[in-house]
Amino acid sequence: MTPAARRRVVARLREVYAVSERRACRALGADRSSVRYRSIKPDDAAIRERLRALSAERRRFGYRRLHVMLSREGLHMNQKKLRRLYREEGLQVRRRGGRKRALGTRSPMLLPQGPNQRWSLDFVSDALNDGRRFRILCVVDDFTRECLGLVADTSLSGARVARELDAVIGRRGTPLTVVSDNGTELTSMAILKWSQDRRIDWHYIAPGKPQQNGFVESFNGRLRDECLNETLFASLSHARAVLAAWKFDYNHHRPHSAHGGATPVEFAEKADRGHAPYRLEHNARTGQHFETGLSL
């Protein structure tokens, strides 16, 4: 029994039987100093209220990301204390079940050294309220972890993927490499011609090895967990509006653990300031372009 519970039992015993505190403590085997103790901990009501509100807004965030969000608002505290308050308020995120994964060693994926060096592509599917299925094209920068594109439609052909990539390039610039699986849309003649015309290296992962495209696979998990599983889509236009809002929030507000709590946009801005300028070099043997750093 906890000290707080003992204090409640002693108070109840004194109220019902009209006995003294000394006698009630002797009957229960409780220490009088523990019964008389009054907590001197500071009042955390404001923090608890803000924590509950933030958890209701970000239902799939754990206490670590909530700690970052509270710190941004000026509510600084020890992470252990926040974890205790998080647990006492019953805000733990229930882990959704997933399929069993094979055990074994996997070689780590090498990280790109700057923005726009490598993009990852993949498709995610979902359904509207009336049961109609639609697909989402996800485009991610592997270095900054920025979501560069979320395109939702009932059909996404190879030609449509090429047009959407051109739109992203118009806003972002040309990547050196694009990584994807071997889906029919991504191995079509439209994509092969597009990558050759723009001299972009397109790398296909090994069949049945999604871990080789781990950056966008991780992003897909966050997208499904925090957006798709949390929303009922009334129409395709509604789905596009929700995805656009979530994409902006993901890039500009959501803390990313790989960046030490910084958002992808904040990390990209720091990378632009901290990296040496790059120039394109042409490999005559392979016909591909690559970036080399310039000394300052």
Side-chain angles (χ1 to χ4, degrees):
M1 185 180 295
T2 63
R6 288 180 181 273
R7 284 191 286 271
R8 290 194 295 269
V9 173
V10 169
R12 180 63 177 170
L13 190 63
R14 294 185 61 189
E15 178 184 354
V16 173
Y17 296 100
V19 297
S20 64
E21 179 186 272
R22 185 190 302 273
R23 191 168 183 181
C25 290
R26 184 184 300 119
L28 295 174
D31 191 279
R32 292 180 65 194
S33 61
S34 297
V35 172
R36 292 182 175 183
Y37 175 78
R38 294 296 177 265
S39 175
I40 58 174
K41 292 191 299 184
D43 183 17
D44 297 320
I47 296 177
R48 289 175 183 268
E49 181 179 358
R50 183 55 188 151
L51 183 61
R52 288 193 299 269
L54 205 55
S55 297
E57 180 183 348
R58 310 275 186 168
R59 302 200 316 168
R60 300 302 299 175
F61 275 21
Y63 75 92
R64 292 183 179 88
R65 283 200 171 89
L66 292 176
H67 182 259
V68 175
M69 302 293 286
L70 290 173
S71 298
R72 291 178 182 173
E73 299 178 4
L75 298 176
H76 302 284
M77 73 186 73
N78 187 286
Q79 193 178 81
K80 292 182 179 180
K81 177 180 178 180
L82 178 65
R83 185 180 183 183
R84 175 175 59 82
L85 298 179
Y86 178 82
R87 185 174 60 251
E88 291 176 357
E89 293 296 325
L91 302 176
Q92 294 92 329
V93 177
R94 183 177 180 181
R95 185 179 295 275
R96 293 191 171 104
R99 64 181 178 84
K100 293 183 179 180
R101 300 185 183 274
L103 299 177
T105 59
R106 297 187 178 98
S107 58
M109 180 180 289
L110 298 179
L111 291 174
Q113 300 302 309
N116 276 6
Q117 291 192 6
R118 188 172 68 206
W119 293 358
S120 294
L121 271 65
D122 201 7
F123 289 99
V124 178
S125 62
D126 209 319
L128 305 177
N129 288 346
D130 57 9
R132 287 186 299 160
R133 304 292 298 180
F134 68 95
R135 305 182 74 195
I136 304 169
L137 171 65
C138 304
V139 186
V140 176
D141 188 304
D142 290 354
F143 180 75
T144 65
R145 310 299 206 276
E146 290 175 275
C147 174
L148 306 181
L150 282 179
V151 183
D153 211 331
T154 54
S155 177
L156 291 168
S157 63
R160 174 70 183 281
V161 171
R163 291 198 304 269
E164 296 297 338
L165 289 177
D166 280 334
V168 176
I169 289 174
R171 301 189 304 265
R172 174 82 178 190
T174 305
L176 295 181
T177 305
V178 175
V179 181
S180 74
D181 58 18
N182 296 269
T184 55
E185 303 88 351
L186 303 177
T187 56
S188 64
M189 292 300 298
I191 288 296
L192 295 178
K193 184 178 184 303
W194 180 87
S195 61
Q196 290 176 358
D197 291 344
R198 286 150 186 78
R199 296 186 177 181
I200 296 175
D201 182 22
W202 197 293
H203 174 75
Y204 294 103
I205 64 174
K209 297 289 184 180
Q211 63 270 22
Q212 295 181 4
N213 204 11
F215 293 102
V216 74
E217 291 289 345
S218 176
F219 172 81
N220 292 346
R222 304 285 75 75
L223 172 64
R224 186 168 296 282
D225 187 46
E226 298 174 14
C227 180
L228 301 184
N229 288 346
E230 296 290 305
T231 311
L232 294 176
F233 300 111
S235 63
L236 193 57
S237 58
H238 177 222
R240 288 168 177 165
V242 171
L243 289 172
W246 187 85
K247 173 190 169 187
F248 182 85
D249 181 78
Y250 179 88
N251 287 334
H252 292 83
H253 300 296
R254 184 186 186 277
H256 204 296
S257 57
H259 300 330
T263 65
V265 169
E266 291 172 347
F267 182 80
E269 292 174 351
K270 293 179 182 178
D272 289 338
R273 293 194 300 266
H275 278 74
Y278 287 89
R279 69 181 177 204
L280 281 178
E281 297 287 353
H282 183 263
N283 189 319
R285 182 177 62 84
T286 63
Q288 302 296 336
H289 287 74
F290 61 94
E291 285 183 345
T292 58
L294 296 177
S295 58
L296 295 178

